[in-house]
Amino acid sequence: MAVDRAQFTKKVETGIKSNNDYTKFYLNFKFNGKSKQKVLDYSKKQWDKRTRISNAKAQLMLEKNKEVNEGINFNENSTLNTVAEIYFKLACEDSAWTKNRQDTYNLYCKNGIGNKKIKLIRQVDIDALRKSMEKQGHSKQTLNGCSPRSIKKVLIQILKPILTYAYENKVISEVPIIKSPKQYRNKKIVQNATQKFTILYKEISNIFHDDPFYRALFLFALYGRRWNEIRTLHWEEIDFEHNSYTILAQYNKLGIDQNYDLPGVIKDALLQVPDEWQGLIFKSPKTQKELYSPKRQLERIKQATGIEKLTMHYFRHILVSAMGEHGIANTILSASLGHTNLDTVNQFYLTVNHKEASKTANIEIEKLF
């Protein structure tokens, strides 16, 4: 039966569209180069809108899972490559970040450790992968070895989640120990941090007074969030009632869900964003997918503030230095920023109390204004 796709005008997420009243859903995805389609009719169900959307998302996952299971055997004798293929297709969103990680996996793991059976992978195999990357990469820039940051990406952000996925599916009994390489970075010195911080807040508020989308985006950066945490944030992770938001495990460096206090100025901006309040918050105005980089808007802030070396990550350095000038404890700063160093976040991190730490930090930030 032919599908009348014209009636499905509302995008729910990648692979799902609905009609105007969200009672019918059109599922459309590709598997092995072939398009798969299905229409869900919930018009006779006594469900509210949220429940209908939730069930449509769950059904899409089931359809994908069915296609994968028909063609792929996933067990302890499967290779790491097989598990990785399933992980990227089922456990990850269809996004530029997922595509980037999959490409990186294919570059460094597919033709080596990827050919081993998942049950036979040990710490020594992971150490060997790290050593090979330290010696030489796959580009002119990495001819003499990959940077610690690149190695960490492969081991912690790609390989570890895949092995964890196998463990969660009871295919392996434990995840091998994965040692992250030490990163040696030059400390960035921020002069007149409090002055820079207050100028940034003022200019962000002025430049984007009539643009709550970018006002919220840059205020998140000013309050210490990493760019990847911002660009992957979904409306479903914002709790307006309790003034909090969650950075999901797959989008932060700790690998666990992190709950933070939602500052009032960011809440106000978000409430003004014209959106359906579903899916990605900061999606590209052109593609409606993940925003790659707000370069043009960042350049406007640079010119207005005179802070020429401003980057999305430099916001964090300015915040930390400004708060440090006002005597804020390192434990509060570290936990509110989502750091992984246990030596500096014992008070908060051991109980994963990022929200209380960020609430304390946010109160102090407001004093700077």
Side-chain angles (χ1 to χ4, degrees):
M1 181 183 294
V3 178
D4 180 16
R5 291 183 290 180
Q7 64 177 304
F8 301 103
T9 58
K10 302 291 185 180
K11 181 176 180 180
V12 177
E13 65 174 34
T14 301
I16 305 180
K17 287 187 177 182
S18 76
N19 58 357
N20 289 332
D21 57 2
Y22 292 89
T23 56
K24 294 183 179 180
F25 298 85
Y26 173 58
L27 310 185
N28 182 26
F29 66 96
K30 285 187 176 181
F31 181 76
N32 289 337
K34 296 182 179 179
S35 180
K36 306 291 180 178
Q37 304 175 30
K38 187 171 185 176
V39 173
L40 307 176
D41 188 350
Y42 295 150
S43 57
K44 296 182 180 180
K45 299 288 186 180
Q46 298 300 314
W47 295 337
D48 58 18
K49 176 181 174 182
R50 181 183 291 271
T51 302
R52 293 195 296 270
I53 291 174
S54 177
N55 277 276
K57 291 180 178 180
Q59 188 61 42
L60 176 63
M61 185 65 72
L62 287 174
E63 292 296 324
K64 288 183 176 181
N65 190 32
K66 182 175 67 174
E67 294 295 334
V68 170
N69 288 337
E70 286 179 357
I72 299 178
N73 183 26
F74 184 17
N75 55 50
E76 65 175 4
N77 289 314
S78 300
T79 64
L80 178 64
N81 285 336
T82 297
V83 179
E85 182 181 359
I86 298 174
Y87 167 75
F88 286 122
K89 286 183 177 178
L90 294 185
C92 302
E93 288 192 351
D94 184 10
S95 65
W97 172 237
T98 296
K99 180 65 165 56
N100 177 273
R101 289 197 301 150
Q102 190 168 15
D103 289 344
T104 304
Y105 172 87
N106 291 338
L107 193 62
Y108 289 99
C109 303
K110 187 173 183 178
N111 295 324
I113 192 174
N115 291 317
K116 291 203 68 169
K117 291 182 178 180
I118 191 77
K119 69 177 181 180
L120 299 178
I121 294 178
R122 302 289 185 265
Q123 181 181 341
V124 65
D125 301 302
I126 299 168
D127 289 341
L129 173 62
R130 187 183 67 252
K131 281 291 185 182
S132 68
M133 291 187 67
E134 289 174 350
K135 291 180 179 180
Q136 187 175 352
H138 293 274
S139 67
K140 292 181 179 180
Q141 291 80 8
T142 60
L143 189 61
N144 297 319
C146 299
S147 68
R149 183 175 182 178
S150 296
I151 297 174
K152 184 177 181 180
K153 177 182 177 182
V154 171
L155 299 184
I156 305 301
Q157 297 180 354
I158 299 175
L159 189 58
K160 186 175 181 179
I162 294 172
L163 292 171
T164 301
Y165 186 65
Y167 171 77
E168 291 172 345
N169 281 277
K170 303 186 185 305
V171 171
I172 56 176
S173 59
E174 62 179 0
V175 177
I177 295 174
I178 300 179
K179 298 178 180 178
S180 179
K182 292 183 179 180
Q183 299 190 57
Y184 301 96
R185 298 177 179 175
N186 294 326
K187 185 176 181 180
K188 294 185 178 180
I189 305 299
V190 181
Q191 301 292 343
N192 302 316
T194 300
Q195 180 183 3
K196 285 186 173 68
F197 184 89
T198 53
I199 290 175
L200 279 169
Y201 175 76
K202 177 182 177 181
E203 293 301 335
I204 289 171
S205 301
N206 288 339
I207 296 172
F208 305 109
H209 179 269
D210 297 322
D211 190 343
F213 178 93
Y214 282 110
R215 188 165 78 250
L217 186 153
F218 285 109
L219 284 175
F220 265 122
L222 190 63
Y223 272 77
R225 295 278 60 83
R226 299 179 178 92
W227 170 230
N228 189 62
E229 296 172 348
I230 299 171
R231 66 195 289 265
T232 56
L233 193 60
H234 291 66
W235 286 110
E236 291 81 1
E237 284 119 43
I238 304 292
D239 186 344
F240 289 110
E241 181 180 355
H242 299 98
N243 296 322
S244 66
Y245 63 97
T246 302
I247 303 297
L248 298 181
Q250 60 264 41
Y251 302 129
N252 66 62
K253 291 189 175 182
L254 289 186
I256 59 173
D257 290 353
Q258 296 173 294
N259 189 243
Y260 293 98
D261 179 65
L262 180 65
V265 291
I266 297 181
K267 177 180 179 179
D268 292 343
L270 288 174
L271 289 173
Q272 297 174 38
V273 174
D275 202 343
E276 296 178 358
W277 289 17
Q278 295 171 358
L280 285 171
I281 298 176
F282 301 109
K283 49 184 174 286
S284 169
K286 293 183 178 181
T287 66
Q288 296 301 300
K289 296 182 179 180
E290 284 183 15
L291 186 62
Y292 181 72
S293 174
K295 289 182 179 179
R296 291 175 58 187
Q297 290 73 23
L298 185 61
E299 190 61 34
R300 292 175 64 186
I301 299 175
K302 286 183 182 180
Q303 293 179 4
T305 61
I307 306 175
E308 296 181 359
K309 59 181 179 180
L310 185 66
T311 63
M312 294 302 293
H313 197 76
Y314 196 58
F315 278 102
R316 286 167 62 87
H317 290 275
I318 293 174
L319 170 64
V320 170
S321 299
M323 298 294 281
E325 290 177 355
H326 290 263
I328 306 303
N330 288 342
T331 50
I332 293 176
L333 278 175
S334 296
S336 68
L337 293 175
H339 282 170
T340 59
N341 191 338
L342 293 180
D343 292 334
T344 59
V345 296
N346 282 335
Q347 181 179 352
F348 291 96
Y349 175 72
L350 291 180
T351 55
V352 200
N353 203 342
H354 299 284
K355 183 178 180 183
E356 288 303 314
S358 60
K359 183 183 293 186
T360 302
N362 291 343
I363 292 173
E364 297 301 322
I365 289 173
E366 290 175 4
K367 293 179 181 179
L368 299 181
F369 301 155

